[in-house]
Amino acid sequence: EWVAWAQPRGGTYLPTGVLYDGAIYGLSEIGILSRYDARTGKLGYRARIENGIAFTSSPWAYNGKIFCLNEEGKTFVIDAGTE
């Protein structure tokens, strides 16, 4: 009764999600970025980061952007938002 919402298959093995601007962004190890509404848990989008593989670090957010660093040292910068 104390859980507002859950996404049983929305988690990942290593990276943790980041809460930013009313949304939770989750990143899988294979480069799939998912955006959930923090209040409702509704999936906004799920998309693969083009040319991105081997993500084990957690994404971070700053100044309207989501940053995803892979094991090759490449940082992918994605606009935060609903699309």
Side-chain angles (χ1 to χ4, degrees):
E1 72 181 272
W2 304 103
V3 177
W5 61 268
Q7 289 289 343
R9 299 187 55 97
T12 62
Y13 179 68
L14 287 174
T16 59
V18 61
L19 173 64
Y20 184 73
D21 198 25
I24 297 173
Y25 294 86
L27 177 65
S28 75
E29 296 81 9
I30 60 171
I32 297 173
L33 185 68
S34 302
R35 181 190 188 276
Y36 298 94
D37 182 281
R39 216 168 255 270
T40 66
K42 181 180 177 186
L43 178 64
Y45 67 79
R46 181 175 286 142
R48 181 158 173 82
I49 297 174
E50 192 172 325
N51 299 319
I53 58 167
F55 291 90
T56 53
S57 67
S58 300
W60 69 96
Y62 172 75
N63 201 25
K65 308 284 186 203
I66 307 297
F67 299 86
C68 304
L69 175 69
N70 72 5
E71 289 183 1
E72 295 175 340
K74 295 179 184 176
T75 301
F76 296 83
V77 183
I78 296 105
D79 287 328
T82 57
E83 299 180 11

